[in-house]
Amino acid sequence: MSAAPARARPLPRTPAPSSAAAPIELSIVMPCLNEAETLAVCIKKAKAFLARHGVAGEVIIADNGSTDGSQQIANALGARIVVVEARGYGAALIGGIAAARGRYVAMGDADDSYDFEALLPFVESLRAGADLVMGNRFRGGIAPGAMPALHKYLGNPVLSFVGRTFFGARVGDFHCGLRAFRRDAVLALGLTAPGMEFASEMVVKAALRGLDIREVPTTLQPDGRSRPPHLRTWRDGWRHLRFLLIYAPKWLLLYPGMALAAAGLLGVIGLLPGDVALGQIRLGVHTMIFAAMAVLIGSQLVGLSVLARRYGAIAGLWPESGLMRRVRNWFTVERACIAGALMLAGGIAGAGLATAIWAQSGFGAMDPADLMRLTIPSMLLGCLGVQTVVTAFFIGLLDQPRR
């Protein structure tokens, strides 16, 4: 069977070609880059599963430029080869999923670490109505030597915890490579990540879209390759974390910004009457400067979170929440201009009052601490006023009609 070239790109929304003779229920997709040592056993296990359970299916090898004879092995064993020119784990899977003909797709690594003969719980969950079925290696069992200790006890648990917290996905093993899904549901997500972060992208976007995500136990065995894996711990771990943070502006921007602004505002207001003693520590106007800085940074983070949420909704990265819709409807350009103008006017008035006080002394020496208790809040009000107006106009720009 000849190889069919396919470039990695966002998953198309068009239906896969159907077979008139026998509709395919399950496509088993394996990304492959020089997996000659283990590819044959993986294909045989996948075909054995399909035959044993009477599942109409196909095995697809999404080849990412193998030079070790992997394509010839796949061809000899009757697997369908899809050549994906764009390099990367995600790119290979994007190409393979796009070419799949099945109603359901199961994906798994071609290194013999996952058991393709144990796909029945995945298929049964899909038949029962699930959109995405994740394997959980921590529930099914991780054989000795199958996962590095750093991944097992730190990387995977931490990133999975972050994913559950940020996106509300009830997934205990965010990065399990063995998973299955409704092809049309995943096509609609528009997955584009070319690297290992593709695993996170699928779960995150599925959770944001409210898909039915379920988990089944699965096992992990040491892979059968003599070469090192393609996964790079720190590089790929960072790419996963970066993706999770980019898609969670509430956690990256809003919550830290609110906390920082609240703490700074408390400091500014608390120091207005005078210095505050905390045991042996005395807080004064110098502390007020840093408190004002915290308010400014916090307010900028809050404003950026609103812009990020709005941009994400416009770009189709996530659906717009009811809360954000209410905030956007209330936070009009006109109302923001009024609020910003009032804050700016307050800041200018404070600066004018400080100048008048200085003038009364003949523009001579003054107690800087007393004057700064007026000028710092005035500066803060002026900056917040300008920032409020600019943020509102930027949101207005994002909301402009598009052709």
Side-chain angles (χ1 to χ4, degrees):
M1 185 175 296
S2 60
R7 291 182 178 272
R9 55 185 179 276
L11 293 180
R13 299 172 185 268
T14 54
S18 60
S19 171
I24 294 175
E25 181 181 23
L26 179 67
S27 296
I28 302 175
V29 178
M30 303 179 197
C32 177
L33 175 59
N34 295 328
E35 306 288 2
E37 290 181 291
T38 54
L39 184 61
V41 67
C42 291
I43 295 174
K44 291 176 181 177
K45 286 182 177 180
K47 285 184 168 290
F49 164 77
L50 296 174
R52 181 178 301 110
H53 298 283
V55 177
E58 62 177 351
V59 177
I60 296 177
I61 304 304
D63 191 79
N64 216 194
S66 296
T67 57
D68 64 346
S70 293
Q71 291 192 24
Q72 290 78 5
I73 293 172
N75 188 56
L77 292 174
R80 187 156 68 94
I81 304 170
V82 176
V83 177
V84 183
E85 296 178 5
R87 286 298 182 95
Y89 173 80
L93 285 167
I94 287 171
I97 296 168
R101 300 188 180 120
R103 179 186 179 190
Y104 306 132
V105 174
M107 54 174 264
D109 299 339
D111 59 3
D112 197 28
S113 58
Y114 293 109
D115 185 5
F116 286 101
E117 291 189 86
L119 288 175
L120 187 60
F122 293 85
V123 176
E124 289 177 338
S125 294
L126 291 171
R127 289 170 176 171
D131 297 310
L132 170 62
V133 185
M134 298 288 299
N136 189 318
R137 297 165 292 183
F138 296 95
R139 289 171 52 192
I142 300 173
M147 183 183 293
L150 186 62
H151 299 185
K152 184 176 181 180
Y153 298 109
L154 180 63
N156 204 308
V158 168
L159 290 174
S160 296
F161 172 78
V162 170
R164 290 193 300 272
T165 303
F166 284 7
F167 306 102
R170 296 182 177 179
V171 177
D173 188 0
F174 245 65
H175 305 111
C176 182
L178 189 63
R179 56 185 72 179
F181 44 84
R182 279 181 37 227
R183 180 178 179 272
D184 60 344
V186 166
L187 292 181
L189 298 178
L191 305 180
T192 59
M196 292 291 182
E197 68 273 22
F198 177 85
S200 292
E201 182 188 25
M202 180 183 292
V203 183
V204 167
K205 289 188 174 180
L208 289 173
R209 294 291 175 180
L211 299 189
D212 185 346
I213 305 175
R214 306 182 191 181
E215 270 193 331
V216 296
T218 192
T219 59
L220 183 69
Q221 299 293 328
D223 69 66
R225 300 171 299 194
S226 59
R227 61 167 176 80
H230 297 301
L231 178 69
R232 296 294 179 265
T233 298
W234 296 108
R235 180 199 65 183
D236 293 317
W238 162 244
R239 292 174 69 169
H240 279 289
L241 180 59
R242 181 184 64 183
F243 182 88
L244 296 176
L245 291 172
I246 287 173
Y247 271 76
K250 288 192 300 184
W251 291 91
L252 178 64
L253 301 170
L254 179 61
Y255 298 151
M258 291 177 64
L260 198 57
L265 188 60
L266 181 64
V268 171
I269 294 175
L271 291 170
L272 279 176
D275 293 356
V276 175
L278 298 177
Q280 299 297 320
I281 302 174
R282 190 170 187 84
L283 307 179
V285 291
H286 300 91
T287 304
M288 183 185 282
I289 294 174
F290 287 100
M293 181 181 71
V295 175
L296 287 175
I297 295 175
S299 63
Q300 288 172 356
L301 292 177
V302 171
L304 285 173
S305 74
V306 175
L307 294 173
R309 290 291 301 176
R310 183 63 192 139
Y311 170 78
I314 293 171
L317 301 179
W318 47 68
E320 185 177 34
S321 66
L323 176 60
M324 275 303 303
R325 191 177 301 111
R326 290 191 294 272
V327 169
R328 184 165 56 89
N329 291 337
W330 181 87
F331 192 70
T332 61
V333 173
E334 293 76 16
R335 287 175 175 169
C337 285
I338 293 172
L342 290 174
M343 286 187 284
L344 182 58
I348 294 173
L353 179 58
T355 304
I357 295 173
W358 186 27
Q360 289 177 354
S361 67
F363 297 104
M366 289 188 62
D367 184 352
D370 290 340
L371 196 60
M372 288 173 69
R373 283 197 170 85
L374 179 58
T375 55
I376 292 173
S378 301
M379 173 276 298
L380 183 59
L381 278 174
C383 292
L384 291 177
V386 173
Q387 184 175 300
T388 300
V389 173
V390 171
T391 301
F393 271 101
F394 200 102
I395 293 176
L397 174 62
L398 292 176
D399 285 337
Q400 289 301 299
R402 293 164 176 77
R403 291 183 180 180

